[in-house]
Amino acid sequence: MTDITMETATTSFRPGTSDKEIEAAALKAIKRRKQAVFFWQIAILVAALGLWELSSDFGWIDPFFYSSPSGVLQRLYEWATQGTTEGSLWYHLGVTMEEALIGFFTGSIAGVVVGVGLGRNPMLSDIFSVYIKAINSIPRVVLAPIFIMIMGLGLASKVALAFVMVFFVVFANAFQGVREADRDMIANARILGASDWQVTRTVVIPSAMSWIFASLHVSFGFAIIGAIVGEFVGARFGIGQLISIAKGTFDAAGMFAAIVLVMVVTLAAEFVMTLVENRLAKWRPQQSLETH
């Protein structure tokens, strides 16, 4: 429980209330708030989908262009049970996930290594900073045709684009996290005789973990974007290819169905990333939504 929650609970009781009573009341307030948040999340989703469905049914919007939730669900069911015109839905999803995961892991590892390395070496940082800024100024999605032209329509071009999308996000956060490391802790470690590698491993990297995990939470979404954009530009399989086919045949339900698939996969990855972060960063103060 956070200090803010305890403080809020303490101020709502008269003097003489025991700590156990205060903690029990605070836990009950936390539970009520979580339930309220979950209720409103579901209510907003149901209201939005209901309004979309009614607007389509009553002709307030053109279902040819906007489809409807029921139409999207029907298309997803057809894809899941009968496959798509280009083969099994699960194969397309597997291709996109393979591209995104390879790009995510390679881009994340490279981003952390380069970010920490340059963050710990001011000379190299000054030398390469101009090149990094120049490359980072290029909109990453415009690289898709170049990668496809060089590497072809297969896996490599999509992984390359996903890698580039992820690398710069993770690199920037890792670099900044290293620069924000506690100088007093670094100085104390050096006084105790720690080498540069020991300082980096035991002080700098743990200090930068919050920055790194913050980038990882969003970078998987960028990896998915990179894979799908590459498939959209040119591919034989993948969710981006399904979107391209749906666009060419004016299949609005198909386009929205593919988008829903991407959203579900990205949210699942975000959930897994949160579990991993909580397991690897138990030393951090608990970050809770229940703070007031």
Side-chain angles (χ1 to χ4, degrees):
M1 187 183 308
T2 61
D3 293 338
I4 297 177
T5 304
M6 286 298 297
E7 182 181 351
T8 304
T10 303
T11 56
S12 62
F13 284 92
R14 62 181 182 277
T17 304
S18 67
D19 292 341
K20 288 186 177 180
E21 291 175 324
I22 294 174
E23 185 174 357
L27 291 173
K28 186 179 294 185
I30 290 170
K31 185 177 180 180
R32 285 198 303 267
R33 189 175 189 277
K34 286 183 176 179
Q35 291 172 343
V37 169
F38 181 73
F39 169 80
W40 282 111
Q41 288 174 336
I42 298 299
I44 291 172
L45 176 63
V46 170
L49 294 178
L51 180 60
W52 183 9
E53 183 71 32
L54 290 175
S55 299
S56 179
D57 291 343
F58 286 101
W60 300 338
I61 60 175
D62 191 342
F64 179 80
F65 293 107
Y66 298 98
S67 187
S68 65
S70 59
V72 173
L73 285 177
Q74 182 179 355
R75 181 70 75 251
L76 283 172
Y77 178 77
E78 291 173 357
W79 282 357
T81 57
Q82 304 172 20
T84 70
T85 58
E86 301 298 317
S88 169
L89 170 65
W90 310 116
Y91 181 75
H92 286 284
L93 183 59
V95 169
T96 300
M97 287 300 299
E98 181 183 12
E99 297 162 351
L101 285 172
I102 295 175
F104 171 74
F105 283 113
T106 55
S108 298
I109 293 171
V112 170
V113 171
V114 176
V116 172
L118 292 186
R120 294 287 292 149
N121 193 317
M123 183 64 177
L124 287 179
S125 174
D126 291 341
I127 292 173
F128 286 101
S129 62
V130 62
Y131 299 107
I132 292 172
K133 290 177 182 178
I135 297 173
N136 194 34
S137 66
I138 302 173
R140 255 77 77 188
V141 293
V142 305
L143 297 174
I146 298 175
F147 288 149
I148 289 175
M149 182 177 64
I150 296 173
M151 304 177 187
L153 297 176
L155 178 72
S157 58
K158 316 308 181 300
V159 169
L161 187 58
F163 173 91
V164 172
M165 297 287 287
V166 171
F167 172 81
F168 285 99
V169 176
V170 178
F171 163 78
N173 276 42
F175 180 82
Q176 190 62 33
V178 169
R179 289 297 184 93
E180 295 293 332
D182 193 326
R183 300 302 170 189
D184 293 333
M185 292 183 63
I186 294 175
N188 291 336
R190 292 193 182 282
I191 291 172
L192 294 174
S195 63
D196 286 342
W197 166 242
Q198 289 174 325
V199 170
T200 300
R201 181 172 57 85
T202 61
V203 178
V204 175
I205 292 180
S207 297
M209 286 302 292
S210 296
W211 291 80
I212 293 171
F213 272 114
S215 66
L216 293 180
H217 278 288
V218 299
S219 60
F220 185 78
F222 283 110
I224 290 283
I225 292 172
I228 289 178
V229 168
E231 293 168 352
F232 192 81
V233 174
R236 294 186 291 268
F237 305 101
I239 300 299
Q241 174 70 353
L242 294 182
I243 295 175
S244 180
I245 293 172
K247 178 204 69 165
T249 58
F250 294 95
D251 180 11
M255 286 189 287
F256 283 114
I259 292 172
V260 169
L261 279 175
V262 173
M263 289 173 57
V264 170
V265 169
T266 304
L267 289 175
E270 165 72 15
F271 176 75
V272 172
M273 189 65 62
T274 300
L275 293 179
V276 173
E277 179 182 9
N278 292 338
R279 193 171 190 84
L280 295 180
K282 291 181 178 179
W283 53 270
R284 293 188 318 176
Q286 183 182 4
Q287 299 296 323
S288 60
L289 292 173
E290 63 271 13
T291 55
H292 302 287

